[in-house]
Amino acid sequence: MKERIERLKKLTYIPQKEIAWLIEQAELAVKQQEIIEENKRQQDVTVHQFRQAQKDIQYLSGDRKRYKQALEKIITNLNFAITVAQNELEGDVK
């Protein structure tokens, strides 16, 4: 392709066949540029979605930790209440 372009640069008159080839190459370059731009747009969207997913995971991990701590407190309180109830029942039996 480079050789053909160099040859065309040297011509003072460009034959119709060569003009058609130039137009075809220009159209192809435009299509390739559109594809590159669309791929970049899709890549940007994917990066944004990935970052949002990371934020969501961090947020949900924090929620999980808070729920786990709350559940542990409830279990501790229930165990204490069960122990107190057992002690009261043992006291009533004696």
Side-chain angles (χ1 to χ4, degrees), residues 31-69:
K31 287 179 184 176
Q32 288 174 339
Q33 187 61 35
E34 289 171 353
I35 290 170
I36 289 168
E37 289 171 5
E38 177 60 20
N39 286 344
K40 182 172 178 358
R41 187 192 68 77
Q42 289 178 1
Q43 183 180 20
D44 290 344
V45 168
T46 302
V47 167
H48 175 73
Q49 289 173 337
F50 178 77
R51 288 185 179 148
Q52 186 61 45
Q54 281 182 318
K55 288 179 184 177
D56 291 346
I57 289 169
Q58 289 173 347
Y59 176 76
L60 292 172
S61 293
D63 277 355
R64 181 179 175 267
K65 184 177 179 181
R66 287 189 294 279
Y67 288 138
K68 183 178 177 183
Q69 289 171 344

